[in-house]
Amino acid sequence: MALFLSEREKDSLRTGERDSFCSDLYWALIRRAEQRASKPGLLSSDDSVDWWRPVGEYLSDAAMAYAVKPSETLSVWIRDVSLSLVRRPFQDWIGPAYRAHDPSKGEAGQVGHLETAHMSWALSVVMDLATEVFTQEERSEVEQVVRDRGVALCLRWLETPQKVANWRLVMIAGVSVAAAVLNDRKLIDRAVAELKIGMQCFQPDGSYGESLQYGSYAIYAAALSHEALRRRDPLLTDAVPVSSYAGYARWAAYSHLYMKPLSGWDGIRPRAINFNDSGAMFKPHGDVLCHIAARAMGEAPRDAGLARWLFERTYRDGFSYGPHDQGSFGLLNDFGFLTLALYSQAAPAQSPEQADLPRLGLFSCGDVIARDEWSGKTVLGFHGFADPLYGPGHLHGDINSIILAHNNERLLVDPGHSCYRNLSRQLEIGTLTHNTCSFTVSETVRESAHAEETARVRQIEQSLDSDRRVREGTPDVPYDRGGRRLLAEHHGLVAVAAGDAAALYGSPIDRFTRFVVLCGAHAVFVVDWITSSVPVTTRWSWLLNNRDGELDFKHAGNDRLVARRGNAGLKLFHLGGGQPVNTTYSYVHDAYHCLPAHRGENSSGSGVLVGWREKHATTERLVVHAMAVDSYGEIASWHLHEQEGAAAVLEGPAGRERWKLSVEHDPLKLTVEEQTAQSTYTIGVSDGMWRLWEA
């Protein structure tokens, strides 16, 4: 009996014990597998990636399709592609040319990579679900190569001092899936031992330190291991405790922005809060969501319900949309073979409102995400710091950065990520291209003991250092990047997030404390308190979304700008006396592609980078930015007013809203008033901790 499709699951799919959406998923997977199998070979002219990328999903799709609806076309294609992979040269099992190859070490001296693991579990799933396509001799050949190349290369990677992150779980899946399918108890025990280490990459609340996108990829690999092991032996269910990552569903639900068309792509596409290396057009892998929805139902029923809700939300209207060649690597997610097995077992959908989630969510990975309402107009993401990172990597210089969306339009954005081998890569992940601060300092340097001193201006950005490895079987302690979360609370109409990022810049920056205050649906205040041991010049950067050329943007004076796109508008006021910097054409990407200049990677000008720079260097400043967001036309009726004792006053159309920010020094205290409704909120220190309270 197959591991990945029980007789009960097969009967459910075949006899129609499914709702209409399950039927859609069933036939969508069958059709894409059959269409692919109608052409010889793994790749066709429709594919845009190198062959390693889709091998996992293409073979597992076809194997599942064959298991539930066998055909000669599928049988021939599965056999031909599987045997061609088995008979590839050894170096192809190492991965593409940009992976570490050293043929001089021979087969026994090299290690595998992600591509190795994908090939290993792909062929293992085929042996499980479609073993009849092989002769006995061919099955033995496939099994031997999976052992000698797939499993062996993955184990060698695991034996080196590699990082605790998504890679480790993927490499373990290359072992665990094969071990379960082959029913090799020794290998199973080794996989279980490795999983005790690999599962330590998740944050305590189930979020993930690398990014939302890489969290999905890590869980995808963990789900493969979990399903393989528990189906081989129910006593192994806890080898991959779903409770370690069930909370990812809550993080993903908060991070989800909306569904709407996106130019250049067919159909309705999701958007998400996408700090670090993560695509803006993001949804978690369908197999991940169905796995959490089915397997977390007992221990974490709320997370299971949220996973089902997010799956329905992001896949129901797009179950057949391509591309289908990048999901198993987590680049552009799809649903796969596990969805068919697990969807009918999933918990009932539970929306964030039904789950009674507050409108502000805070996460161990550092994200704080606030809304005016769950069904409201405005979403504000703040990327700060909370706990040390359990799975560090894929970081950007974006601590204290924000993402702001209104009326289903992303206005202030993160650049996302493009091909990692692009020359522009370091610019896109640097502090300067995110909605935060960078600095310059004038210094004198002496190149040698006998050289004269020369003056230079040094750019100061956030450190991107991160490292947590497994050394001699023991993981390093979680990586402390250095920032601090100060506050993440909401009361009434106001939500606030605050953090300090000074440690990421190093000397001479002593303090970079940022407060971001969302006031109702239309006003945002950003307050920066920055100190340094020597005078520095601060630059405030703001990245506007122009990914489709539809941004309507202008400076309306030295201290303000107006930006519109779709049915959303933004007014941004700089109240620090700085000088506007030259507008720079930057990048805003939709989704990652492993090759350059492919769909998802946008061109120069897809982002418009604006900002202000201080006119003079100083050691301390307390600077306010005020923002108003509204519809395309109504944004014109938002105005900044002066009022005695106020740092900023924003008034909306016809005076229906009037938000006043007051700032007191020594000690610092912020007061926010909605003067029309006469409500007052205070942000200050109480019993040694920053708090928000309503008067």
Side-chain angles (χ1 to χ4, degrees), residues 50-310:
D50 50 34
W51 66 265
W52 290 272
R53 297 290 166 166
V55 64
E57 55 214 287
Y58 283 6
L59 279 175
S60 60
D61 279 0
M64 178 60 80
Y66 182 85
V68 297
K69 195 176 184 299
S71 70
E72 184 180 5
T73 300
L74 284 169
S75 174
V76 169
W77 186 89
I78 293 169
R79 176 180 176 273
D80 287 352
V81 170
S82 298
L83 292 177
S84 71
L85 289 176
V86 166
R87 295 164 181 170
R88 295 298 301 174
F90 176 81
Q91 291 302 318
D92 282 356
W93 278 78
I94 301 294
Y98 52 78
R99 302 299 188 200
H101 289 255
D102 191 352
S104 67
K105 293 182 177 179
E107 293 191 10
Q110 297 186 73
V111 302
H113 299 91
L114 297 177
E115 294 78 10
T116 314
H118 280 242
M119 295 169 73
S120 178
W121 64 253
L123 289 168
S124 299
V125 170
V126 168
M127 285 193 289
D128 178 60
L129 292 174
T131 190
E132 310 89 70
V133 307
F134 303 117
T135 66
Q136 184 58 48
E137 293 77 11
E138 289 168 345
R139 160 83 190 210
S140 296
E141 181 185 5
V142 174
E143 178 179 329
Q144 197 63 46
V145 170
V146 168
R147 286 181 181 275
D148 294 347
R149 292 186 175 181
V151 172
L153 287 166
C154 289
L155 286 175
R156 282 190 216 122
W157 187 95
L158 291 165
E159 289 162 359
T160 61
Q162 302 284 2
K163 291 186 176 182
V164 182
N166 71 83
W167 270 70
R168 181 163 292 275
L169 285 175
V170 173
M171 302 307 282
I172 294 172
V175 177
S176 61
V177 177
V181 169
L182 298 174
N183 198 14
D184 184 323
R185 195 70 211 191
K186 184 177 180 181
L187 274 182
I188 288 173
D189 291 344
R190 176 65 187 277
V192 169
E194 291 291 347
L195 283 162
K196 291 179 180 178
I197 299 172
M199 291 300 295
Q200 296 182 46
C201 68
F202 297 104
Q203 297 294 120
D205 63 355
S207 62
Y208 186 69
E210 291 187 294
S211 71
L212 188 69
Q213 176 172 314
Y214 280 100
S216 176
Y217 185 40
I219 298 173
Y220 180 73
L224 287 171
S225 293
H226 178 98
E227 295 296 332
L229 294 173
R230 78 176 289 161
R231 289 166 183 264
R232 172 54 66 194
D233 181 353
L235 295 177
L236 295 174
T237 296
D238 291 338
V240 183
V242 178
S243 58
S244 297
Y245 50 76
Y248 176 87
R250 187 175 72 93
W251 181 35
Y254 270 97
S255 299
H256 176 68
L257 291 173
Y258 50 82
M259 300 286 295
K260 62 182 287 189
L262 183 66
S263 60
W265 302 86
D266 55 341
I268 298 172
R269 299 284 177 165
R271 313 295 200 282
I273 298 289
N274 63 315
F275 294 114
N276 289 336
D277 278 341
S278 193
M281 191 179 73
F282 174 81
K283 58 185 177 184
H285 198 286
D287 291 4
V288 165
L289 293 174
C290 288
H291 168 73
I292 294 174
R295 302 308 190 192
M297 201 180 334
E299 294 179 86
R302 184 183 67 173
D303 294 329
L306 287 169
R308 173 69 177 270
W309 169 82
L310 191 57

Side-chain angles (χ1 to χ4, degrees), residues 380 494-497 515-519 523-527 670 672 683:
L380 175 70
V494 168
V496 59
F515 297 86
V516 182
V517 188
L518 174 63
C519 306
V524 178
F525 296 113
V526 178
V527 181
L670 312 180
V672 177
I683 301 164

